[in-house]
Amino acid sequence: MERIIGIDLGTTNSCVSIVEGNTPIVIPSRGGVHTTPSVVAISQDNKRLVGQLAKRQAVTNPSNTIMAAKRLIGRRWSDPQLQSLLESRGFEAVEGHHGEVLIKINDRAYAMPEISSMVLLELKEIAEEYLGESISKAVITVPAYFNDRQRQATKEAGTLAGLEVMRMINEPTSAALAYGYGKDIDKVVAVYDLGGGTFDFSVLHISDGVFEVLSTVGDTQLGGEDFDDRLIMQWLVVEFAKEHRVDLRRDKMAMQRVRDAAEKAKCELSSVRSTEINLPFIISTAEGMTLHLQKVLTRNKLESLTEDLVDRTIEICRQGMKEAKVDIDEVILVGGMTRMPLVQERVKDFFKRSPRRDVHPDEVVSLGAALHAASLQKGGQDVLLLDVTPMSLGIMVAGGEFNPLIPKNTTIPTAKSHIFTTVRDAQTSVRILVLQGEHEDATKNDLLGEFTLSNIRPAPQGEVEFEVTFEIDADGVVSVSARNLETGVEQAITVTSRSGMSGEALEKMAAENAEHLVTLRSRERVLQLQQKIKRTLDTMDRIMPRVETLLANNGFAEEALIKAKEVIERSKLTIEGDHLESLERDSKALARTLNMFHNVIEKMKRK
Amino acid sequence: MWFDQASPDDLNYLAQYGVWGGVPAIPVCLPGLGRYGRYQFDRYLLLQKNDLTIAQRRELVFLADYFHKIDHFEFFELTADANERDIKKAFFRFSKRFHPDAVRELNLGPFAEHVRLVFEYGQQARDLLLDDQAFKDAYARVTKARDLAYHSKLQAERERQHQKVAEARSKGIKPPKSMRVGATPTPLPQNQRSQAEIDERKSLLRERLAQNQGRRQAHEQSKQSADLKSQAKTFFMAGEQAEARGQVSRALNHFKLCVEYMPKEQKYIEALKRIEAKVAEDRASKLWQEADSLYKSEDSIQKQAALDLFKEACALSPSERRLVAFTQYSLEFELVEDLIPILQKTQQKEPFNIEYMWLLCQCFELSKSLSDTQKYMEMILGLDPSEPRALRLKKRYRF
Ligand SMILES: Nc1ncnc2c1ncn2[C@@H]1O[C@H](COP(=O)(O)OP(=O)(O)OP(=O)(O)O)[C@@H](O)[C@H]1O
Ligand SMILES: [Mg+2]
């Protein structure tokens, strides 16, 4: 039978594994090392360099070298975080026709999946050389908090590299799989994965070879690279400018050397208390004088520069523990950054137990992928993953609200359906906007795709009904369909990486489509609104005393307060009945009032 | 009917989730499954499908039975008093059987869809059982009513029988055996052994149990070691094959596993050593090549990078040719601190090789430690009194 490899496609380092006999092993690269840097370089004559070779020449060739492609894969040009990601990178990025990110090298534009596919191809070749046979199937890991678009793009990269991606599994899940495989345990395990570019935190229940994910949280923009950035932007560059009045940032080559040195220093400080950064001939001044960078960095300094990043990971862990609703038995640390003493210390303090030391932080993810590959071939007899979707999925309903159909942390594969109706009389088409995220306001979430059901019989509002069905397959990839319950006509999309937007563009589009949305059936809508108003009223009750004391002795506020109270009293009456329009009106009025209260509290706090 | 006794509110509530209170005699086609209700799943039709293999057919019949399970607890083979842990465990057992991954290799074709539906239904059932106390309470009340109804029915039946028997007796007829129900059971035999005797037997039993356990452990250990042995052997063979085919790093991994399983077997250790040397040599030569090409460039940064690679290669697998070249490059850059330990180590391994001594002489000369220079010079002259380079050195410094 053809063998399936397991690949950890990392931000900084990638790793490929296979199961031999019953033992998962890492396949060493040609140089005998276990991990391959995820670096790609394109030479003047369009030849590719990948891995160690590409990394080595980065200093001399920064504008044609692409590092950390994973931070950009599946992102849109309109992504608010994008520009800060591109800053301090040597290469040139442009916007593609579909709003995607392209990288321009030697007058040719490369899409992000293409870049990642070069790394995958290298790993595939390493495996082929090692096994002496050709490989065409793989299990690839992705950060648990990757959204649908990033997953799709990763899959595309696999296809471009000539690999059939049998399954994409989440990195922390994969690590837990490698950790729990072959052990006869019944435990709740937390996985803290801080890598080069992403942070993931998952809680799993492992029992009898079943790995059930209880919760998954994370941040796809938090990793070792941010620690390096802190060192460079907030310390090295600043100090250098102070000393020599020269801005290092204007020289790409110098920045690349600084970046290398900063990372090296950071790693060294995990085992020693102070180290020296020494970069001779780093830059020359306008007068032609060459300058050297020579600095001593202590562990304390590094920690004070990056402490808040570590704290952010702990905050995310707290959220994850809350969602998992259980106590844990073990913590395992994954990812190179967890070698940093401060990280280990904070993790230990937060979980009140020492993390386990018997997992290899760089290799465990790919070992898990290989194990999963083997178990897919054997039919899940010895291990079974019950993974969850990290983000809620749903559609936009009238009023710009987000109506989640599949809540986050639902076990996949799964399917859910719900019935909606038209928003206005004689509506002849409906538009289904598919979104992913946690925000109540639909435009704050991420649009995955959209489609239209047309040729609807003109009828009074609420008469024609549609069943919208969401499905998430075992890879975490989403497909959506909508069916006109009157005619049985069905429309479906598999969400692709090309579509999608967020923020302003989405708002604009929502406004254009307001007439064509769907809404909940009126009975459900009434229930929903009643609950919502009740919730808001509860919050109001809680903060009312504070607002009152804050606004006392303020003649102008007196009036506002009286009006607010009127609204509250009226809403209390409205929720007793089920008149849809008054419910809608009061729900909006209440939301505005609550917002005002929050503003007041904020303002007073600042004073 | 029994459900006359259950509260209609409860029944209505449960019906919304597809629990009709259980009428086991009539197979229901998954009521209340909403959109899954569309999927008719007829067991007999399946049996007639000839184009399926036996394994597939067995699987599908098994599945069909699941479609006929009529309530959520039954679905997981649980009773109404199951706690959270039981439910979770039961769901795990269920998933191992029905997760789409678990039935993949059975290749169920279009029927794979059904497996997915069963799995999804299982998920919904689990969520309901775990999170919804109202559901659980209603279920418990209804099943209690059902059991009560069942018991009172039995009771009534029994009383009728008794009456009949009594009637027959009063008429002087001996009732047939089949009608004699509910006879008083014979009491269990009394235990007449003394406490002391019981204790003795208990301790004896315990002893035997312990013996047995010991034996079993010994047996398992020997089985394990036999397992390890045979595993190691297969790995060794695979390793040798890989070596013959020139897949060095694969062979290395195999031999490593051999030694891990059988750490005392000399043959394996030797093989591992051999292959390790080979890997080091391979890697060194690759590094060397890379370094060579870097060194040719004019850029001094690249040259320095090359120096690092040279060093790595020499440390991995020192050979005379490499060390000579590396020393020469290092002397050019006047960077010899890293080089000296490598040279010394190699020299100790081959104490009669004049070439290494000479390299060391040069390095020490550069780093201005003349006493060391002199030491190695004298060692050279001790081996070969007419070595011209050493003589020249001697003259120069007037040692
Ligand atoms: N000893 C060390 N001390 C501190 N940081 C380290 C150490 N070793 C490696 N790192 C950092 O760990 C990061 C790389 O970790 P890793 O290889 O696990 O990430 P990755 O798998 O490539 O990324 P991701 O999982 O986010 O996609 C780098 O930022 C590196 O600087
Ligand atoms: Mg990683």
Side-chain angles (χ1 to χ4, degrees), chain A residues 31 56 132 167 208 212, chain B residues 96 101 126 247 250 283 290:
Chain A
R56 239 176 230 139
R167 177 63 51 84
D208 294 338
E212 188 196 18
Chain B
K96 272 201 151 176
D101 283 352
R126 176 199 55 175
Q247 299 168 335
R250 190 169 190 206
R283 198 165 154 222
E290 214 177 286

Side-chain angles (χ1 to χ4, degrees), chain A residues 10-13 70 195-198 224 263 266-267 270 335-337 339:
Chain A
T11 310
T12 40
N13 295 305
K70 189 172 168 186
T198 52
E263 198 205 331
K266 178 188 73 178
C267 294
S270 294
M337 268 320 292
R339 294 205 179 89

Side-chain angles (χ1 to χ4, degrees), chain A residues 152-182:
Chain A
Q152 296 267 12
T154 307
K155 203 166 189 172
E156 200 180 319
T159 316
L160 286 176
L163 286 168
E164 183 190 341
V165 183
M166 301 297 290
R167 177 63 51 84
M168 285 185 290
I169 58 175
N170 293 332
E171 282 165 13
T173 316
S174 182
L177 185 59
Y179 163 74
Y181 174 77

